[in-house]
Each structure stands twice: as C-alpha cells, then as structure tokens.
Amino acid sequence: QGSLVKLQVPLQVVPWYARFFLGKESHGPAEPNNTVYGFEQVPDPSHATKLAMKDLTDVVRCQIFPEGTSAQASFQLEHPDGTPSSEIVAMTPTEPAEGPNDLRLVGLKPGRVIPKVLDTESGRVLGELNILVGELVKRRIGGVAVIEKTWKSPVAVDWGEIDKLVTERFLQAGVAIEFTAYPPESVTYDFNKDGRLDIDSVLNDLDIGHASDELKAIHSAAFREEVDVMLYAVNRGDSTVGHRIVGCVMAIGHPAAFIFPDTLAQLHKQLGVVENLTLPMVASHEVGHSLGLHHNLSEAGNLMYFTTHLGQVGPHLRAWQWAQLNPTIQGAPDPPPPPEDPDIAPEDKPVS
C-alpha cells in the first residue's frame, strides 16, 4: 500500500500597508484632482511629501490595504523636534475609515509634521507622509512681445495661455503668480545687422556679465519695475551653436526671461506637435530660472529638466525646488548631487 505524504504549503502573507496619493474628494465617476499644493512621491512612493499652506485648506488621500483592515489602524501626527503637531497643521478626519480617506489639511504655522498610519495593536508604521507647511508668497510676472524696429515681423504669442500654465506650475510651490500682459514694444537691438537676436553668449555660462548687448537693450527698453520677472517674446532668437533654442535667461535669478515663438513654430514643423513642447511650457521653464532654479539634470518630467527634446520637460517640481522658490518652507530635503556625466542634448534638438 502506498504511504501518505503531507505537503507543507507555505501561507501567503498579504502585506498590510498605507499609501498617500493626490487628493480627490470624490465628485462622481470623473474624480477631479483637488490637491492644490505640491505633492511628490519621488524617489520612494512609501515616503511621499506634501506641501500645505498656512491658513489655507488642501487635500491629500490616504488608503489602507488590504481592504477591511482600517479598523485596526490609527492616525498619529509626529513632529521631528518635539513641537506639538497640533500647532503646525490641522488634519481631519482624525481616524481612518474604509476605502479612500480624503484628509483635509490646514497649515497653522510653517514647520514640518509627519502623519503616520499605525497598527493600533503593535504600533508598527504602515505608512507615513512628510508634510511641509509654508506661507503663500506672491510673484509678479510680466509678458511683452518685442519687435525689432527694422524687421517689423509680428510676434505670435497667447499671453492668456502662458498666464494659465505659469500660474498652475508655481502654485504647487506655494507661489501665487500675478501675471500682466503689456502692449508690444518696438526696440532697435539688431546692432550687428545679422538678422537675429544674439543669445550664444549666455547659453554656456548663465552670467549677466556675458549677456549680449542685444539682450541688454531689450531688457533696458521693455522692463517694468513693478514686476519680479519679465518674459520677452522675441523672434529670431535661434542660436548658431547647433541647437534650436526656444528660450533662455540672462542669468539664474535675473528678472529677464526670453521665449522665441518662431523657433518653436519651426520645431513643430520639423518634429510635429509634441506634448509639453509648447510656448507656455517653455515660458514656465524660463520663469523658473528667473526665480532662482537651476536645471535639473537627471529627472525627465521635471519642470527644470535641462532639455525640452520631445517634451521631456514636465509639470513637476521636487520638494527641494519648492523651498528654493518659497523661502517660508522649512524642512525640505537637500537637492540631490548632480549626475557625474549628464546627457547633453545632441545637435538640432530643442534646449532651453
């Protein structure tokens, strides 16, 4: 007779964890994203970072997996230096429910708080969120089309679309943009009569001392003292160095930013319409430079990624970039070290 052999089948352990997401506040099948201020899950989705603003309300979503375990979990607010968390941020609800939990956050004063989801019985951390609280700051941006008097070529620009996207991109860092479009200006700046705006001088060394006299002439004639940054829309800004340049600045942190609509239109003819390769995107990237941001050399999808080739510049800003734009934000991580050998955009690819 055969003998019975009992097989030992290992039990599958279902992971128990919590995750934080963009807040939705469900309004039917097409749930809008109602998170206003910054949220990032880079580099680790299990340790996301959220920006909250003093005296303003925002939403972030938390969900506990697997379903049916929320009753065994609890929320806890911790502050790294021991300050009572209730002085930094108000968060409701205070206990998790089944399904998505839309947490409403109101910043009370600048600081840092870590909401944790705990196993109530053991105290094990199921998930946590890093909340940075800052205050809303305002930046005034102007836009003006500049026409070289001797060329008399019109500059095609939709300031309304640029206003909309620039405002959206920088609100994630708690920066409220006040945008003003000014009437076009006629300026004589083609001093060497070569039929283009000389921008090569600033491309490899963003130093105001290296800006061409032509760039300086535009800024001197068309700048308005009431703005923090002026966007100059200018034709024929294409460079001679082998790249198609769609925008530039005179220096990091300098209030003069330039966008080149005709060069971008030529690229669209060459490449076809590329998502994210739009004039409002280019304007947002250049405004970032004028507000103090350097290129992000390693993360395609970041607003400050160093090349716009095929739309690799995206909408996102990292937490360390929020803090560079908004000095009220405390406790943000330091920027990562630059890559040792960043890719350089090949010839005939758009860069800015």
Side-chain angles (χ1 to χ4, degrees):
Q1 294 187 359
S3 58
L4 284 174
V5 177
K6 187 175 182 181
L7 296 176
Q8 295 291 331
V9 179
L11 294 175
Q12 280 194 329
V13 178
V14 178
W16 185 20
Y17 65 98
R19 285 290 183 270
F20 292 87
F21 308 92
L22 290 171
K24 297 293 185 182
E25 284 202 314
S26 177
H27 294 289
E31 295 180 308
N33 170 20
N34 286 340
T35 294
V36 177
Y37 307 108
F39 179 81
E40 72 158 21
Q41 292 177 296
V42 178
D44 183 357
S46 67
H47 293 83
T49 300
K50 177 77 188 78
L51 180 63
M53 289 287 104
K54 183 177 180 293
D55 299 330
L56 299 172
T57 302
D58 205 1
V59 180
V60 68
R61 171 168 284 189
C62 175
Q63 190 160 358
I64 301 171
F65 302 95
E67 293 185 7
T69 61
S70 294
Q72 305 162 50
S74 61
F75 291 146
Q76 178 176 302
L77 285 173
E78 293 187 3
H79 190 280
D81 69 4
T83 303
S85 298
S86 58
E87 295 181 8
I88 306 294
V89 69
M91 185 180 83
T92 54
T94 57
E95 294 296 333
E98 283 301 324
N101 291 260
D102 286 321
L103 305 178
R104 298 178 65 81
L105 309 173
V106 180
L108 302 178
K109 71 177 184 180
R112 178 174 172 235
V113 174
I114 303 174
K116 295 183 177 182
V117 184
L118 303 178
D119 172 352
T120 304
E121 183 175 335
S122 69
R124 181 171 71 89
V125 177
L126 306 177
E128 63 182 37
L129 177 68
N130 188 35
I131 295 181
L132 308 176
V133 178
E135 298 186 48
L136 201 65
V137 298
K138 294 182 180 180
R139 296 290 182 262
R140 298 161 298 174
I141 311 297
V144 60
V146 178
I147 302 167
E148 218 290 337
K149 287 182 178 179
T150 60
W151 302 346
K152 298 180 180 178
S153 57
V155 179
V157 57
D158 185 337
W159 291 119
E161 288 299 311
I162 289 176
D163 177 7
K164 180 180 178 182
L165 194 68
V166 170
T167 298
E168 178 184 301
R169 291 293 182 260
F170 290 98
L171 191 59
Q172 64 184 295
V175 177
I177 300 295
E178 294 181 354
F179 193 93
T180 302
Y182 293 94
E185 295 271 2
S186 292
V187 181
T188 298
Y189 59 81
D190 187 17
F191 300 132
N192 60 5
K193 307 299 181 184
D194 66 349
R196 68 180 187 89
L197 172 63
D198 294 338
I199 61 176
D200 290 350
S201 57
V202 298
L203 294 182
N204 294 320
D205 190 351
L206 292 177
D207 186 320
I208 186 61
H210 296 159
S212 71
D213 289 339
E214 296 186 359
L215 290 171
K216 292 176 181 177
I218 291 174
H219 183 56
S220 177
F223 185 70
R224 304 294 182 97
E225 293 295 336
E226 64 267 23
V227 302
D228 299 302
V229 175
M230 182 65 87
L231 267 170
Y232 303 106
V234 190
N235 281 342
R236 305 188 196 178
D238 210 1
S239 168
T240 63
V241 298
H243 304 299
R244 293 295 185 92
I245 305 301
V246 292
C248 72
V249 292
M250 288 173 66
I252 301 298
H254 188 276
F258 296 81
I259 54 176
F260 308 122
D262 59 338
T263 303
L264 186 60
Q266 292 166 14
L267 281 169
H268 284 166
K269 290 181 180 179
Q270 175 187 341
L271 302 174
V273 176
V274 178
E275 185 180 2
N276 284 339
L277 185 51
T278 66
L279 200 60
M281 182 281 297
V282 175
S284 300
H285 177 96
E286 302 308 335
V287 167
H289 283 317
S290 285
L291 292 177
L293 296 181
H294 288 262
H295 276 144
N296 183 318
L297 298 176
S298 59
E299 295 174 340
N302 190 274
L303 180 63
M304 302 311 297
Y305 192 60
F306 75 101
T307 174
T308 58
H309 176 44
L310 298 182
Q312 289 174 299
V313 169
H316 306 295
L317 290 170
R318 296 286 303 278
W320 52 270
Q321 292 171 310
W322 308 340
Q324 290 177 346
L325 291 164
N326 185 335
T328 72
I329 298 172
Q330 302 175 11
D334 294 329
E340 292 183 5
D341 186 21
D343 292 332
I344 302 300
E347 291 191 358
D348 298 323
K349 298 299 187 288
V351 299
S352 58

